[in-house]
Amino acid sequence: MLDYIIAPSILSADFTRLGEEVRAVLAAGADAIHFDVMDHHYVPNLTVGPLVCQSLRQAGITAPIDVHLMTKPVDDLIIAFAKAGADWITIHPQATEHLDRSLQLILDHGCQAGIALNPATPWQGLDYVVDKLSMMLIMSVNPGFGGQAFIDVTLDKIAQVHQWRTAHQYAFRLAVDGGVNISNIGRIAHAGADTFVAGSAIFGAPDYAEVIAQMRQILVNQTEQKD
Ligand code: DX5
Ligand code: ZN
């Protein structure tokens, strides 16, 4: 079984103190940083670019950075974020004309590749690119904003992808992004997810370490129930 990963989304961080915020969640027990990039075209919101990712690296942040590109087109930014220090780069299939080429571009630039599936996007049909994937990111909200409510039907999709992964012994991580909190993380893990992106639930909490420890405890209980 894969270890669980908790990846706070910087979207809900205090951007006037981003370096401190990132250090604080890592010190509080986060495993990776989820870096949401929005372009006001593929999604209605606008966030930050490669310069900010590079600044985190230059400030000494060594934790894995998972760049979630909600941009269209996407290929130039894949290259820019790879150069800026991304570890994982996750893209939406709708954001590229040539999914296989964009995934290969991520790999050619030394990063691990992920695909993000919107709530209405079926997971089927990825057989011909699955060998390139290190992560399948199931969106449990429509991309564009932090702080939205988890869409419950996503649990079925996670369970189906988990089943498909198990049947074929694929090694990609099964991540969930949007509306994850301590009330639903147990159910999400039960459905088969192993990687949990959470923005407002972590950065909105008064004590980051406490909420991450609570999440981790729920995940441990979940594992024990399975054994
Ligand atoms: C949504 C982003 C998510 C979001 C998560 O478009 O991809 O990463 O910021 O934030 P919460 O956990 O607040 O839903
Ligand atoms: Zn995201």
Side-chain angles (χ1 to χ4, degrees), residues 34 36 68 70 177:
H34 184 83
D36 282 311
H68 177 192
M70 288 160 275
D177 184 8

Side-chain angles (χ1 to χ4, degrees), residues 9 11 34 36 38 68 70 139 143-147 177-179 197-200:
S9 156
L11 197 57
H34 184 83
D36 282 311
M38 305 184 183
H68 177 192
M70 288 160 275
M139 295 295 305
F145 301 95
D177 184 8
V197 175
S200 47

Side-chain angles (χ1 to χ4, degrees), residues 17-119:
R17 303 184 295 108
L18 187 59
E20 275 172 57
E21 288 272 74
V22 166
R23 274 195 203 90
V25 282
L26 291 170
D31 303 293
I33 296 300
H34 184 83
F35 194 105
D36 282 311
V37 182
M38 305 184 183
D39 66 349
H40 189 230
H41 172 69
Y42 179 65
V43 291
N45 206 351
L46 182 66
T47 60
V48 289
L51 183 69
V52 177
C53 183
Q54 190 184 22
S55 301
L56 291 175
R57 288 300 187 216
Q58 284 168 349
I61 304 293
T62 55
I65 298 183
D66 161 29
V67 173
H68 177 192
L69 290 179
M70 288 160 275
T71 73
K72 184 177 184 174
V74 74
D75 288 355
D76 288 350
L77 285 174
I78 288 172
I79 298 169
F81 272 99
K83 289 183 178 160
D87 295 283
W88 286 300
I89 298 183
T90 298
I91 61 174
H92 287 250
Q94 296 89 346
T96 173
E97 296 298 329
H98 304 287
L99 181 58
D100 179 80
R101 178 184 288 158
S102 298
L103 291 173
Q104 189 60 47
L105 196 60
I106 298 173
L107 301 179
D108 288 347
H109 284 79
C111 296
Q112 302 202 51
I115 282 187
L117 300 177
N118 290 332

Side-chain angles (χ1 to χ4, degrees), residues 95-211:
T96 173
E97 296 298 329
H98 304 287
L99 181 58
D100 179 80
R101 178 184 288 158
S102 298
L103 291 173
Q104 189 60 47
L105 196 60
I106 298 173
L107 301 179
D108 288 347
H109 284 79
C111 296
Q112 302 202 51
I115 282 187
L117 300 177
N118 290 332
T121 305
W123 62 270
Q124 293 89 346
L126 293 172
D127 304 72
Y128 301 116
V129 292
V130 70
D131 59 318
K132 292 190 164 72
L133 298 183
S134 297
M135 190 186 305
M136 182 98 78
L137 181 77
I138 308 294
M139 295 295 305
S140 37
V141 298
N142 288 291
F145 301 95
Q148 303 180 79
F150 185 87
I151 298 174
D152 264 322
V153 72
T154 312
L155 291 170
D156 290 343
K157 195 194 275 184
I158 295 167
Q160 288 173 25
V161 174
H162 177 56
Q163 223 174 12
W164 179 60
R165 176 176 69 169
T166 308
H168 294 270
Q169 295 184 304
Y170 295 138
F172 62 79
R173 301 202 69 94
L174 181 44
V176 63
D177 184 8
V180 176
N181 56 43
I182 55 167
S183 311
N184 58 21
I185 196 168
R187 284 185 289 140
I188 299 167
H190 181 73
D194 53 65
T195 302
F196 306 87
V197 175
S200 47
I202 294 176
F203 283 105
D207 184 339
Y208 302 161
E210 191 182 319
V211 67

